[in-house]
Amino acid sequence: MFLTIQTLFDDAKIVSAIIRRVNQTRKDTIYWQQYLTFRRVTTRVFKDYIGSVTGVMAGSINSRFGEKPIRERRNIGSGYGEIAYLGDAYQMSIDRLSELQDLIDKFNAAKPADQKAAMEEIVNFLADDYRQITLAAHKRMDIIVGALLMLGEATVYNKDAAITSGQTNNKLLEITLPFNFIKPKSGDVVVDGKNMFISYLREKLHSLAPDYGVYAKMVMTRASFNKLILGSSEFGEQYKMILGSNEMKLSTGLVSSSLASEVFTGIGLPRIEIKEDYVKDQTGKNVQIYADNRITLLPSDNIGYMRHHTPYEATDPVQGRTYTPSEGQMLISNYRDKNGRYMEYTAEWIPQISNPDLITNFDLSEIASIQSA
C-alpha cells in the first residue's frame, strides 16, 4: 500500500479509524449530552412546541480562505422547529502537513510487517486535528443549550457580517422557550431583615407542585449557590446540623453537587446540580455556559433531543471530495485548493426541549445583592 496525503484523507477506513481513536481518547466533556440525546428528523422543518426558530449556520468560519456559503434561509412561524446548519473549515498549517508527509514517507518505506505501527503513528498524529473538527459543533451546542436552560432563549449572530458591516442584528439562529419564569423581589425573600431565600424557594416549589409536578433537579452556577443558598441567613441557623464533617467544605464553597443534594433534599428541595463549565468561543475567549443569578428546575434528567438531519452534501457531494460520517450524521471532509489544505465538517442539528412550559426558571437578578443578616 502506497500513501500520499491526498489518498490518506480520501481513504474512508483510515479516517474512520482516526475518528474512532478521537472518540475513545477524548477527555472533553460534551455538556449538552447531560440533558439531550440525538434523535433523527426527516425534514428540515418539523412541528414542535419550541417557539420561533430560524437557523442558517450556527458556527461561523474563522478562515477567510474556507468560507462556506449560506445555502438557504427561512423565517419559521411559532410552533415549528428548523434545523440549524453548522459548518467550519480549518486550514492545516504547512508545518503540520510537512510533519504528516514525514510520517507518510516512513509508512511507505516500511516493510509490510512494520506498516501497522507506522499507520498507528499517523492515526495518533491526526487525532488532535480531528478532535477539533468533531467537537466544534458540540461546543456550539453546549453554548446554545446552556443559554436555553438558564435564560430560556438563545441567539447566534453572524459574526463575519457584523464585522464587515458594523451591524449586530444579523441573527442566524434565535430560539425562545415558554418557560415558567419567576422573578422574586426583595420583599419576597427578606423577612425581619433576614435573607430567607431557602424558605422562599421551598414554599414556592410546594405551591407549583399541583400545576407543574415535582421537580427532579435544580441547576445553578457555583456563584449562585454560594450567594443564594449558602448566603441565606437561615442556612447557618437551621441547616448546619445536617452537615456534620462536611461543614468546612460548605463554608468554603468547596461543595459538590452530590453533597449539596444530600444536604438539601432532606428539607424538600430537589437535587442540586452545581455548574461551573466554560467553552472557548471563536475569538479564543472562555465563555461561561450557564448564567449566574438563575435557577432552573427540571422535571427529569433528560429534557429533550438534539434533532439531526441528513446534510445536503450527503445527497449532492462536492465533486472529488470524500465524506466520512460521524455521530449525529455529521460529515467530515478534507480538500485542497490553491491556498492550502482544509479540514471541514458540516452538520444539521437543533436542540428540541420537550414540554418547556413545565420547566421553571427563577430570575434572581433583583435579589442577588441581598446580604445575609
Side-chain angles (χ1 to χ4, degrees):
M1 180 181 182
F2 185 84
L3 277 182
T4 66
I5 289 179
Q6 187 62 50
T7 58
L8 170 67
F9 287 118
D10 284 346
D11 192 316
K13 289 183 179 179
I14 296 176
V15 175
S16 294
I18 297 170
I19 293 173
R20 283 197 301 273
R21 178 66 52 83
V22 170
N23 291 336
Q24 290 166 0
T25 60
R26 72 183 179 200
K27 297 178 181 178
D28 308 80
T29 301
I30 298 173
Y31 301 112
W32 70 259
Q33 290 183 342
Q34 298 170 18
Y35 305 103
L36 309 176
T37 54
F38 273 125
R39 175 172 283 189
R40 185 170 177 265
V41 64
T42 56
T43 58
R44 287 187 172 89
V45 179
F46 55 93
K47 191 71 181 288
D48 183 31
Y49 187 25
I50 196 173
S52 177
V53 180
T54 302
V56 178
M57 186 184 295
S60 62
I61 297 170
N62 295 325
S63 171
R64 63 190 176 93
F65 300 117
E67 287 190 345
K68 290 171 64 73
I70 295 175
R71 292 186 290 269
E72 59 180 306
R73 186 170 186 169
R74 296 196 194 102
N75 292 319
I76 304 302
S78 178
Y80 288 85
E82 181 184 2
I83 291 296
Y85 302 94
L86 297 95
D88 289 278
Y90 298 88
Q91 187 170 15
M92 301 182 73
S93 69
I94 297 298
D95 290 342
R96 193 148 182 83
L97 288 170
S98 297
E99 287 186 66
L100 177 60
Q101 185 61 58
D102 290 341
L103 292 176
I104 289 174
D105 291 342
K106 181 179 177 181
F107 173 88
N108 291 331
K111 296 176 181 179
D114 299 325
Q115 282 191 333
K116 184 177 179 181
M119 179 57 72
E120 280 290 303
E121 285 191 66
I122 293 173
V123 169
N124 290 333
F125 177 80
L126 288 172
D128 193 59
D129 298 271
Y130 277 89
R131 184 185 72 87
Q132 180 172 242
I133 285 287
T134 56
L135 282 175
H138 287 293
K139 292 306 175 184
R140 167 58 67 188
M141 287 303 166
D142 282 344
I143 295 172
I144 291 172
V145 172
L148 289 175
L149 273 179
M150 303 311 289
L151 303 173
E153 60 183 17
T155 304
V156 176
Y157 293 93
N158 186 333
K159 182 183 63 131
D160 293 332
I163 291 172
T164 56
S165 66
Q167 301 294 318
T168 57
N169 59 351
N170 291 290
K171 296 178 182 178
L172 295 180
L173 181 144
E174 186 176 22
I175 303 174
T176 302
L177 296 175
F179 285 177
N180 173 38
F181 291 102
I182 298 173
K183 190 172 185 178
K185 300 185 181 300
S186 297
D188 299 324
V189 175
V190 178
V191 178
D192 297 329
K194 292 186 175 181
N195 177 354
M196 306 294 285
F197 178 72
I198 297 176
S199 290
Y200 163 79
L201 186 61
R202 185 174 55 184
E203 291 166 10
K204 197 68 179 175
L205 293 183
H206 181 73
S207 68
L208 291 173
D211 295 321
Y212 295 90
V214 177
Y215 287 105
K217 66 164 66 170
M218 52 183 183
V219 181
M220 67 188 80
T221 62
R222 183 169 297 281
S224 297
F225 177 79
N226 290 343
K227 186 189 304 180
L228 299 161
I229 303 295
L230 297 188
S232 172
S233 304
E234 58 190 320
F235 174 78
E237 296 174 359
Q238 299 180 33
Y239 303 128
K240 279 191 178 179
M241 66 184 72
I242 308 173
L243 304 179
S245 61
N246 290 316
E247 182 175 338
M248 179 61 71
K249 288 183 181 178
L250 281 168
S251 65
T252 57
L254 301 175
V255 58
S256 64
S257 296
S258 58
L259 175 57
S261 297
E262 181 184 332
V263 171
F264 293 104
T265 51
I267 61 169
L269 292 177
R271 285 185 291 119
I272 296 176
E273 198 167 275
I274 300 171
K275 296 294 187 183
E276 46 183 350
D277 301 322
Y278 293 83
V279 167
K280 187 167 289 189
D281 69 9
Q282 292 169 342
T283 66
K285 268 194 334 184
N286 279 329
V287 176
Q288 183 174 321
I289 298 177
Y290 303 97
D292 290 329
N293 299 323
R294 295 275 186 153
I295 295 178
T296 297
L297 292 114
L298 304 177
S300 61
D301 290 330
N302 189 292
I303 58 168
Y305 305 99
M306 184 63 72
R307 292 290 200 161
H308 60 91
H309 183 266
T310 305
Y312 176 74
E313 284 91 334
T315 55
D316 186 17
V318 176
Q319 188 173 4
R321 284 201 205 176
T322 300
Y323 294 89
T324 304
S326 186
E327 56 188 343
Q329 296 189 89
M330 180 190 295
L331 293 179
I332 297 170
S333 65
N334 187 288
Y335 64 93
R336 175 85 163 85
D337 66 15
K338 63 179 182 179
N339 297 308
R341 181 170 288 279
Y342 305 90
M343 301 182 72
E344 182 179 288
Y345 74 90
T346 185
E348 298 185 5
W349 297 352
I350 200 72
Q352 178 191 23
I353 309 299
S354 304
N355 301 316
D357 55 332
L358 296 180
I359 294 174
T360 292
N361 178 275
F362 286 88
D363 178 353
L364 306 173
S365 53
E366 288 195 17
I367 66 168
S369 60
I370 295 175
Q371 300 295 320
S372 298

